[in-house]
Structures are given as structure tokens and as C-alpha cells.
Amino acid sequence: CHGAVVVGSNTLVSYLVNYARPFVYSTALPLHSLISIQQSYSSITGFEGEKRRCAVFRIVKYFRREIGCALLALEISDRVTMYVREAGGLDVYPIRSPTVPKGEERIRIILHAHNTEDEIRKLIEVLLLTLKKQFGSKSKL
């Protein structure tokens, strides 16, 4: 952890400025953190960042086309989430109350630039199988 804030009286601030200079300046970000931030920014705004954004847009488009709709949130129980994790070996996490209203818990689906079409296909298969198990053949897609 780097950085700090001290809130206090004028007397306290004056004392710290005059007698705690080594402490005050030791809380600055180290050089390697500043270089990491600079390089990350260069990466995301440069060619590599553009390439990864295009990859994400491509797999999201593929996902929506294959699922047959613009599925953004799938209301589903914790039990079903565990099934998706176990049956598909997928790294999915529920969004629980109080983030969403009680009874409207859902799976969070996050697609990344490194995901492949095969992984997306597997995700869709497991989701459809899970919906059939939960809702029967009249799934709510």
C-alpha cells in the first residue's frame, strides 16, 4: 500500500511538515509503480490494446449470435451456478443480493480477449443444458 492522508489541525499539519518530512516523502509511489502505470497506459492505448479490444468485440458478437439473443443477465440460483462450474469446468460467479434484489441472483459472464470460440461454444452448451435442467424444455432465453 502506498500513500496516506492525514487530517488534523493546523498545528498537527505544521508539525508533520516540519518534523516528519522523511515519513511524508516515504509514502510516495515507488518508481517501478509509476513505470508500470505508464507502460500499462501505453499498452492499452496502443496497437496491442486495439488488438485486444477487437478480439473482445469479436467474441462478444460470436457469443450473442450463437446464443440467439443479446443475453446480458441470466437469473439463476447458486445451486445452478455450482453445476455450471462443475459440469463445464467454467469460471463463473454469481451476482448475489444485495447487489441485485433477493431472488434475482444471476451468473456474471465476462468474456476476455484470450477466450476462444471453442470456450464460448462450451459456455453456451453448458448454459443451455443448465437452463433445460432448471426450467425444463421451456427455457427463458
Side-chain angles (χ1 to χ4, degrees), residues 51-72 109-121 123-124:
K51 189 170 89 175
R52 289 179 184 220
R53 277 188 298 283
C54 287
V56 169
F57 294 148
R58 182 183 51 76
I59 64 168
V60 167
K61 189 175 181 178
Y62 174 78
F63 175 78
R64 289 181 171 171
R65 184 180 68 238
E66 292 298 309
I67 199 78
C69 69
L71 178 71
L72 299 176
I109 298 172
I110 303 172
L111 303 175
H112 300 275
H114 64 266
N115 292 125
T116 65
E117 287 188 5
D118 287 340
E119 291 171 329
I120 305 300
R121 203 172 301 113
L123 170 65
I124 293 167

Side-chain angles (χ1 to χ4, degrees), residues 27-108:
T27 60
L29 284 173
L31 183 58
H32 72 272
S33 292
L34 297 172
I35 292 170
S36 294
I37 292 168
Q38 184 182 38
Q39 292 303 310
S40 296
Y41 183 76
S42 293
S43 177
I44 63 173
T45 59
F47 175 75
E48 186 63 29
E50 182 63 24
K51 189 170 89 175
R52 289 179 184 220
R53 277 188 298 283
C54 287
V56 169
F57 294 148
R58 182 183 51 76
I59 64 168
V60 167
K61 189 175 181 178
Y62 174 78
F63 175 78
R64 289 181 171 171
R65 184 180 68 238
E66 292 298 309
I67 199 78
C69 69
L71 178 71
L72 299 176
L74 175 63
E75 292 178 20
I76 211 155
S77 69
D78 277 352
R79 181 177 47 81
V80 174
T81 302
M82 290 305 295
Y83 175 79
V84 171
R85 289 181 69 112
E86 291 169 10
L90 300 170
D91 199 16
V92 295
Y93 297 91
I95 304 173
R96 296 187 177 103
S97 171
T99 305
V100 296
K102 198 156 191 70
E104 294 183 26
E105 291 80 6
R106 58 199 68 203
I107 290 178
R108 181 182 310 264

Side-chain angles (χ1 to χ4, degrees), residues 7-20:
V7 178
S9 66
N10 286 339
T11 303
L12 175 64
V13 171
S14 178
Y15 177 83
L16 292 174
V17 166
N18 290 296
Y19 296 102

